[in-house]
């Protein structure tokens, strides 16, 4: 077998599927307590499928080289388990540990509405997995969001801990928790850049503010349905790259206008495949942002 090729990856994924989700697929049993499988049974079972060939040396190599240290042998090497990520009913002793102030979770923008409503739930796994840093959360979330970028939630882990929530860390360093209720996370605005959204325009280009006739809208301006801003209202967005009044617009978030002196941020949305420099964006949103101390996140 080409050890670093596609077969190798497929074999590793197959082992993960067996040990975490579906031992029945090769007719083996996993101990509920500890999540251990017998190594000889695993090897035999995999070989009997006829789809892969594996021996002890190759299994050792997969375990040793796994980029996320997904698997472990027991002390005498007769048993193997996945360190975390199970959907089958198993109990693994994990270290309970005080988390850092913030942890991160990457996911698809399509799940956001449900997550906001129900909180983060383990879904088919036994625990919700949280990442140490933003970059790892992006890599995890990308599995569900591709080809679009994932959105990243910042979890107020320190606050949860203070409120009595139990955090555990798996042997391979992944934070695990039963659930994260909605009041403990926030969407990180910079992860919205590149996302496709629909803006409902309530201030069309060329109109005046209904109550403040001195405010004129040189571009379309509205709100993104389903996204809440820091002020508890729906998220506002400027639309660039369109020079006629609109009622509704679907495009991509290209920048975030961050206000240093306000709780709110504004998103900048533009048609697919259009580009603006920071200067161009700032000029177009100046009519309103001139009253704030703003900086652009791109
Ligand atoms: C989402 C990989 C709707 C959640 C990674 C996630 C990780 C909700 C998906 C490990 C929801 C579950 C786990 C709600 C959560 N409504 N969607 N209320 N609550 N979700 O794959 O964290 O390579 O089970 O955001 O590195 O993505 O396999 O979890 O998008 O550590 O070793 O439901 O998998 O490790 O997806 O990834 P997953 P995950 P391995």
């Amino acid at each position: 077998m080409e050890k670093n090729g596609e077969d190798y990856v497929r074999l590793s994924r197959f082992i993960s599927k067996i040990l975490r989700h579906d031992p029945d697929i090769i007719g083996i049993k996993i101990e509920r307590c500890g999540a251990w499988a017998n190594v000889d049974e695993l090897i035999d079972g995999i070989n009997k499928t006829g789809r892969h060939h594996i021996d002890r040396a190759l299994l050792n190599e997969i375990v040793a080289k796994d980029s996320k240290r997904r698997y472990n042998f027991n002390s005498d090497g007769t048993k193997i388990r996945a360190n975390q990520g199970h959907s089958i009913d198993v109990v693994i002793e994990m270290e309970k540990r005080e988390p850092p102030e913030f942890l991160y979770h990457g996911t698809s923008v399509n799940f956001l509405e449900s997550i906001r409503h129900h909180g983060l739930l383990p879904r088919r796994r036994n625990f919700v997995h949280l990442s140490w840093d933003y970059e790892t959360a992006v890599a995890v979330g990308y599995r569900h969001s591709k080809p679009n970028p994932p959105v990243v939630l910042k979890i107020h882990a320190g606050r949860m801990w203070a409120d009595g929530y139990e955090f555990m860390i798996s042997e391979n360093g992944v934070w695990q928790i039963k659930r994260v209720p909605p009041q403990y996370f926030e969407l990180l605005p910079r992860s919205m850049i590149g996302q496709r959204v629909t803006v409902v325009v309530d201030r069309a280009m060329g109109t005046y503010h209904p109550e403040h006739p001195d405010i004129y809208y040189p571009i379309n301006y509205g709100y993104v349905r389903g996204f809440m801003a820091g002020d508890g209202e729906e998220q506002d967005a400027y639309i660039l790259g369109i020079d006629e009044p609109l009622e509704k617009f679907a495009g991509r978030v290209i920048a975030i206008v961050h206000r240093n002196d306000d709780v709110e941020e504004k998103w900048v949305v533009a048609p697919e495949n259009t580009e603006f420099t920071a200067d161009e964006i700032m000029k177009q949103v100046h009519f309103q942002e001139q009253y704030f101390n703003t900086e652009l996140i791109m």
Side-chain angles (χ1 to χ4, degrees):
M1 183 192 297
E2 170 54 57
K3 280 190 179 171
N4 293 314
E6 216 174 290
D7 284 349
Y8 191 86
V9 174
R10 255 195 236 127
L11 179 53
S12 172
R13 288 218 179 108
F14 190 44
I15 292 172
S16 158
K17 182 173 175 175
I18 295 164
L19 296 180
R20 288 170 167 175
H21 310 299
D22 198 0
D24 285 348
I25 198 173
I26 58 161
I28 65 166
K29 291 267 171 277
I30 287 184
E31 294 169 21
R32 181 169 182 276
C33 189
W36 297 108
N38 178 287
V39 172
D40 293 335
E41 286 176 19
L42 177 72
I43 291 174
D44 282 354
I46 291 174
N47 288 332
K48 276 192 192 131
T49 64
R51 282 190 279 154
H52 299 279
H53 181 75
I54 186 166
D55 56 17
R56 180 68 201 232
L58 181 53
L59 182 64
N60 287 351
E61 189 180 319
I62 288 175
V63 171
K65 287 197 178 160
D66 186 80
S67 58
K68 294 183 179 172
R69 292 192 292 118
R70 290 182 180 89
Y71 319 107
N72 245 349
F73 290 114
N74 69 343
S75 53
D76 66 5
T78 56
K79 296 178 185 180
I80 182 171
R81 74 173 170 203
N83 287 318
Q84 39 78 241
H86 298 82
S87 58
I88 51 173
D89 179 26
V90 290
V91 182
I92 298 180
E93 272 290 306
M94 271 189 267
E95 185 197 332
K96 295 184 180 71
R97 202 195 281 183
E98 178 175 354
E101 193 56 27
F102 301 113
L103 289 169
Y104 301 86
H105 180 89
T107 188
S108 160
V109 72
N110 300 326
F111 300 159
L112 263 190
E113 206 176 319
S114 165
I115 292 176
R116 262 224 194 78
H117 192 73
H118 302 286
L120 276 173
L121 301 173
R123 311 277 280 185
R124 67 185 191 120
R125 299 187 199 256
N126 298 342
F127 294 98
V128 173
H129 294 194
L130 303 176
S131 308
W132 287 92
D133 54 43
Y134 185 88
E135 289 68 29
T136 309
V138 167
V140 172
Y142 194 70
R143 294 164 33 259
H144 299 286
S145 70
K146 61 187 171 208
N148 289 320
V151 288
V152 176
L153 304 175
K154 179 170 161 183
I155 315 292
H156 292 257
R159 203 144 55 76
M160 291 184 75
W161 174 262
D163 289 348
Y165 284 84
E166 195 165 84
F167 284 77
M168 284 166 297
I169 191 154
S170 65
E171 216 159 310
N172 58 335
V174 181
W175 287 95
Q176 321 263 323
I177 188 160
K178 267 292 168 201
R179 57 188 280 263
V180 182
Q183 67 270 30
Y184 293 109
F185 57 75
E186 60 187 284
L187 172 67
L188 282 180
R190 70 178 147 137
S191 70
M192 279 309 298
I193 294 171
Q195 304 292 347
R196 220 181 131 73
V197 295
T198 300
V199 185
V200 179
V201 178
D202 55 1
R203 304 279 181 259
M205 164 187 257
T207 62
Y208 290 86
H209 193 288
E211 284 126 45
H212 309 283
D214 52 322
I215 305 178
Y216 174 75
Y217 291 91
I219 56 176
N220 290 288
Y221 179 63
Y223 59 91
V224 184
R225 224 175 233 150
F227 288 88
M228 293 300 162
D231 62 352
E233 299 285 323
E234 272 172 308
Q235 175 64 52
D236 292 332
Y238 297 109
I239 299 169
L240 263 52
I242 303 282
D243 48 16
E244 55 183 350
L246 295 172
E247 286 180 5
K248 216 175 177 190
F249 175 71
R252 275 196 202 279
V253 179
I254 57 163
I256 309 288
V257 177
H258 177 76
R259 292 178 171 173
N260 293 318
D261 49 0
D262 193 13
V263 290
E264 257 192 288
E265 292 184 307
K266 307 285 175 185
W267 296 354
V268 181
V269 180
E272 299 277 347
N273 306 320
T274 53
E275 282 182 27
F276 294 87
T277 64
D279 275 357
E280 286 165 347
I281 296 174
M282 282 312 247
K283 256 185 217 136
Q284 297 212 39
V285 301
H286 179 78
F287 73 97
Q288 186 161 254
E289 295 306 323
Q290 60 183 313
Y291 305 110
F292 298 91
N293 170 0
T294 61
E295 60 189 281
L296 209 56
I297 304 171
M298 288 184 80

